[in-house]
Amino acid sequence: PNTTLFRSFSWEPQQVEVLESGTLALSSGPVLDPGGKQVATFTSIWRRETSGEWKIVFDKGNRVCADEGAGHE
């Protein structure tokens, strides 16, 4: 049996930009573990369909470096 446990996480955009044409957008922000610690960042590119619905066309996540922010006072 597969005993792999899946951990939950959450994310929310900190930045959203939409082209003046209203056809493409970018959202990005932190990915948080269940304890609220940032473990990654995400970037999503959205395309507005002719129906007006937004669809993700590209989605990318990057882990946060363990020493990010260290030594920057």
Side-chain angles (χ1 to χ4, degrees), residues 4-24:
T4 302
L5 297 177
F6 294 95
R7 296 186 295 172
S8 62
F9 58 92
S10 62
W11 68 95
E12 64 179 85
Q14 280 186 331
Q15 179 179 9
V16 175
E17 297 182 39
V18 181
L19 289 181
E20 191 172 318
S21 66
T23 57
L24 286 175

Side-chain angles (χ1 to χ4, degrees), residues 23-38:
T23 57
L24 286 175
L26 175 141
S27 62
S28 61
V31 177
L32 308 173
D33 71 9
K37 178 182 175 188
Q38 183 175 348

Side-chain angles (χ1 to χ4, degrees), residues 19-58:
L19 289 181
E20 191 172 318
S21 66
T23 57
L24 286 175
L26 175 141
S27 62
S28 61
V31 177
L32 308 173
D33 71 9
K37 178 182 175 188
Q38 183 175 348
V39 294
T41 59
F42 76 91
T43 301
S44 301
I45 305 297
W46 300 76
R47 179 179 60 221
R48 191 171 188 178
E49 303 292 313
T50 55
S51 66
E53 184 178 6
W54 287 94
K55 300 265 184 161
I56 293 177
V57 294
F58 179 79

Side-chain angles (χ1 to χ4, degrees), residues 56-73:
I56 293 177
V57 294
F58 179 79
D59 196 36
K60 172 98 171 115
N62 294 299
R63 290 186 179 172
V64 174
C65 294
D67 64 342
E68 186 170 297
H72 299 285
E73 295 177 15

